[in-house]
Amino acid sequence: LKIDIEPIRLLFTCEPYVIFTKRGYQAAVNVFDQKRRTEHFIYLGAQSLAEQLEVLRASNDGRLRGIEVWIRKKDATKFAKYYVEE
């Protein structure tokens, strides 16, 4: 799932896991796109994304599963920071 500057409502449907990519192992998590009613996964390697999700995870008994958030990027550049809101 590609996240851009348009906010997208996502529900985390599992806990983070690792998958093998051409860059080695990457953290990922399954999400459900609430608007399109489709399942995807997203990578969790971006620091700006991981730090915000860690705060939410810590306040949810150490779990991401079941958390629903709005996610978007600050701008359209490749390395733009992510914004996460409940």
Side-chain angles (χ1 to χ4, degrees):
L1 176 66
K2 182 172 170 60
I3 298 171
D4 58 21
I5 60 173
E6 290 298 318
I8 184 170
R9 187 76 173 166
L10 299 177
L11 170 67
F12 292 95
T13 59
C14 73
E15 296 307 311
Y17 57 90
V18 294
I19 57 176
F20 187 74
T21 70
K22 63 183 177 183
R23 293 183 175 174
Y25 287 103
Q26 299 287 324
V29 67
N30 294 348
V31 294
F32 183 76
D33 180 332
Q34 298 287 47
K35 182 178 180 181
R36 294 180 187 94
R37 312 295 297 168
T38 54
E39 294 203 28
H40 305 274
F41 74 90
I42 58 172
Y43 291 112
L44 300 174
Q47 184 176 357
S48 63
L49 178 59
E51 287 176 345
Q52 294 174 80
L53 293 180
E54 182 59 17
V55 172
L56 295 174
R57 187 191 68 78
S59 67
N60 191 47
D61 294 324
R63 299 188 163 280
L64 279 180
R65 184 179 185 160
I67 295 176
E68 197 171 334
V69 296
W70 288 99
I71 298 179
R72 67 178 179 89
K73 289 181 90 173
K74 179 181 178 183
D75 57 55
T77 61
K78 183 175 182 177
F79 297 107
K81 291 187 177 194
Y82 289 87
Y83 288 115
V84 177
E85 299 173 340
E86 282 192 271

